[in-house]
Amino acid sequence: MEVRTRFAPSPTGYLHIGGLRTALYAYLFAKKNGGKFILRIEDTDRERLVDEASEIIYRTLKDTGLIYDEGPDVGGEYGPYIQSERKDIYGKYAQELVKRGAAYYCFCTKERLAGLRSQCEQDGRQFKYDKHCLQLTPEEIQEKLDAGVPYVIRQNIPAEGQTTYSDMVYGDVTVPNSDMEDNILLKSDGYPTYNLANVVDDHLMKITHVIRGIEYLSSTPKYNLLYEALDWDVPEYIHLPPVMRDKHAKLSKRHGDASYEDFIEKGYLSHAILNYIALLGWSPADNQEIFTLPELEHAFDVSGISKSPAIFDVEKLKWMNAEYIRALSEEDFIKMAMPYFEQAIDPDKFDLPLITRLIQPRLEVLNEIPEKLTFLSRLPDYDIDLYFHKKMKVTPESALVYLREAYPVLRDLPEFTQSAIHDAMMSLVEKLGIKNGQLLYPLRVALSGTPVTPGGAIEIAYLLGRHEALSRIETGIRKLEDSLQ
Ligand code: GLU
């Protein structure tokens, strides 16, 4: 039998990190087993719909390389793959469940249900529908249907006994039937709820392994009762541990750490994110940490999925992102960094391969780029204290002397290349009988106005070009003169 898994997100406007992990594991499980990975959009909750949300899902799966074999925008044998386009399918199965005694019509009004709810609250019980409409006779039901009374269809959970299934991660899960609710399967607007739609669609789409978040672990027995009532095979289940920010809190939209897009916006690389989340709740047999997607497809195994919550460690993600940044070719780095370059400098005016050599090795996330480079387009208004460096024996006084020495040498260089600047500064150091730092440190400060810079004085002078470099050195000399007189 061909393995078929699916990712079934609700289009709520962004792709939660936990959701993307579910997609990844479902993808990996399918690939590992030579099967198919399917995308299904679960949009039956019409109140939660967000425009563009499905586009975000398609785009994210494409960017991360989680290519689905069947789905809304690629088609397939078992479509449509958007639940709202399947609306007419569900009613028939709801009726069939009614016929088989596994579901029933419910005509209760909002008012009656509200009364029931407050009664439960008063008694300190959790709300549970009281099966009121299960008592209706077939004639009464027909009468109401003929009269057009609005109705829902509810699942008829046996009052006694228990339901058990075996999850591939969590093992046997048993839920007493009395803990389950007669949930609505079909709403009065004709749309199914998740309770019905996930069962019908997983069956019709021939899903063999249902992979999803742990929040469905304990409601799965309820769905299994529906499979059984319809004489359908129950799929295998792989429920996944939650993804948490720390022991107590979930990732949240408010903290900007909940979605894939949040991290892309912060300058993380899509493949680094995917690699990191692969390890959120799964560990490989060995200690490998950096994986390409094909390597993951090979290494993934359900036995490596953990039962305990996975903690999302941003520091670890940063480390991994830095690894991915370092591994980029110069060309790819420049391409990916371009939007960030543009925030700080005019890319046409600078030697981007040199900038790349200076910043790529030390970068953790791409959005650190603008702050590292803004000094190139504008000299910040810096404090004279920057010219103190005890270890290098640099003081504002010595800085003034050596900047005055450097200025004419740089002004008169026949060619303002990196090697010419380098050689000229080294001869000057030698001529003055000082240490490199005594010249290069104040020069770097004058050129950048910044305590920490990518690259040193020589690279920065070259990047700025003669004109700008000289003008900044003049500014430095003036600043020092003003404060020392
Ligand atoms: N639409 C559900 C969700 O987004 C899918 C759960 C499932 O995979 O069955 O949580």
Side-chain angles (χ1 to χ4, degrees), residues 6-10 22 40 42 194 198 202 210-213 215-216:
R6 88 298 193 273
F7 177 45
S10 303
T22 301
R40 178 172 78 224
E42 302 210 323
Y194 174 77
N198 93 89
D202 284 341
V210 170
I211 301 177
R212 63 185 166 206
E215 59 274 27
Y216 297 96

Side-chain angles (χ1 to χ4, degrees), residues 25-40:
Y25 288 10
Y27 169 89
L28 293 175
F29 188 83
K31 294 292 142 180
K32 172 84 186 217
N33 293 289
K36 293 262 159 48
F37 172 57
I38 289 114
L39 173 66
R40 178 172 78 224

Side-chain angles (χ1 to χ4, degrees), residues 200-477:
V200 169
D201 286 346
D202 284 341
H203 171 75
L204 295 180
M205 295 180 182
K206 297 202 162 36
I207 302 303
T208 57
H209 295 77
V210 170
I211 301 177
R212 63 185 166 206
I214 191 169
E215 59 274 27
Y216 297 96
L217 186 78
S218 58
S219 45
T220 294
K222 222 161 41 186
Y223 313 140
N224 287 349
L225 289 171
L226 297 178
Y227 281 98
E228 281 155 18
L230 291 163
D231 288 323
W232 291 346
D233 286 341
V234 173
E236 297 288 344
Y237 291 102
I238 299 174
H239 285 97
L240 305 176
V243 181
M244 311 281 287
R245 175 170 338 107
D246 52 41
K247 267 195 208 131
H248 314 287
K250 290 194 166 181
L251 298 178
S252 73
K253 215 171 172 179
R254 195 158 54 85
H255 285 91
D257 58 6
S259 77
Y260 168 80
E261 308 259 311
D262 286 336
F263 288 97
I264 291 294
E265 254 169 50
K266 289 182 193 162
Y268 288 86
L269 270 49
S270 131
H271 290 120
I273 300 173
L274 200 71
N275 188 160
Y276 178 65
I277 67 171
L279 304 174
L280 273 180
W282 169 78
S283 4
D286 55 19
N287 289 329
Q288 186 175 345
E289 287 189 302
I290 304 289
F291 286 92
T292 62
L293 192 53
E295 282 170 344
L296 282 173
E297 288 169 23
H298 185 73
F300 188 76
D301 195 274
V302 175
S303 64
I305 299 178
S306 153
K307 290 193 186 64
S308 26
I311 307 286
F312 190 97
D313 178 354
V314 178
E315 291 310 312
K316 181 84 187 264
L317 170 60
K318 265 193 196 150
W319 166 82
M320 197 172 271
N321 202 57
E323 294 284 313
Y324 273 79
I325 289 179
R326 271 196 287 282
L328 291 173
S329 68
E330 181 181 285
E331 197 188 340
D332 285 345
F333 179 83
I334 292 177
K335 216 190 288 161
M336 302 202 78
M338 193 53 86
Y340 301 90
F341 286 156
E342 282 167 350
Q343 287 173 35
I345 57 172
D346 177 352
D348 294 335
K349 294 205 175 119
F350 289 94
D351 181 334
L352 297 182
L354 173 59
I355 291 184
T356 298
R357 280 197 292 284
L358 297 178
I359 65 173
Q360 188 183 8
R362 276 176 290 275
L363 216 52
E364 283 189 318
V365 283
L366 295 175
N367 69 357
E368 291 166 3
I369 293 175
E371 50 170 327
K372 284 191 192 302
L373 299 185
T374 43
F375 78 89
L376 287 174
S377 40
R378 206 181 48 83
L379 179 67
D381 184 20
Y382 61 94
D383 197 283
I384 209 83
D385 285 350
L386 275 192
Y387 285 107
F388 275 109
H389 197 296
K390 213 167 173 188
K391 249 207 194 131
M392 284 200 223
K393 296 202 173 44
V394 176
T395 61
E397 287 80 3
S398 75
L400 178 58
V401 173
Y402 300 134
L403 286 182
R404 281 178 175 155
E405 291 283 347
Y407 185 89
V409 177
L410 293 171
R411 185 193 57 208
D412 299 337
L413 267 186
E415 265 192 310
F416 207 71
T417 61
Q418 225 180 305
S419 63
I421 300 169
H422 173 266
D423 294 350
M425 290 302 101
M426 288 305 117
S427 346
L428 184 58
V429 162
E430 208 173 306
K431 187 183 120 194
L432 296 170
I434 56 176
K435 295 228 160 69
N436 288 357
Q438 287 176 279
L439 173 66
L440 297 183
Y441 186 84
L443 194 54
R444 193 187 58 77
V445 170
L447 291 169
S448 69
T450 307
V452 185
T453 51
I458 293 162
E459 285 109 345
I460 295 171
Y462 166 73
L463 281 171
L464 292 171
R466 188 188 324 250
H467 181 77
E468 179 66 14
L470 290 176
S471 132
R472 290 184 181 201
I473 296 170
E474 272 173 42
T475 306
I477 292 174

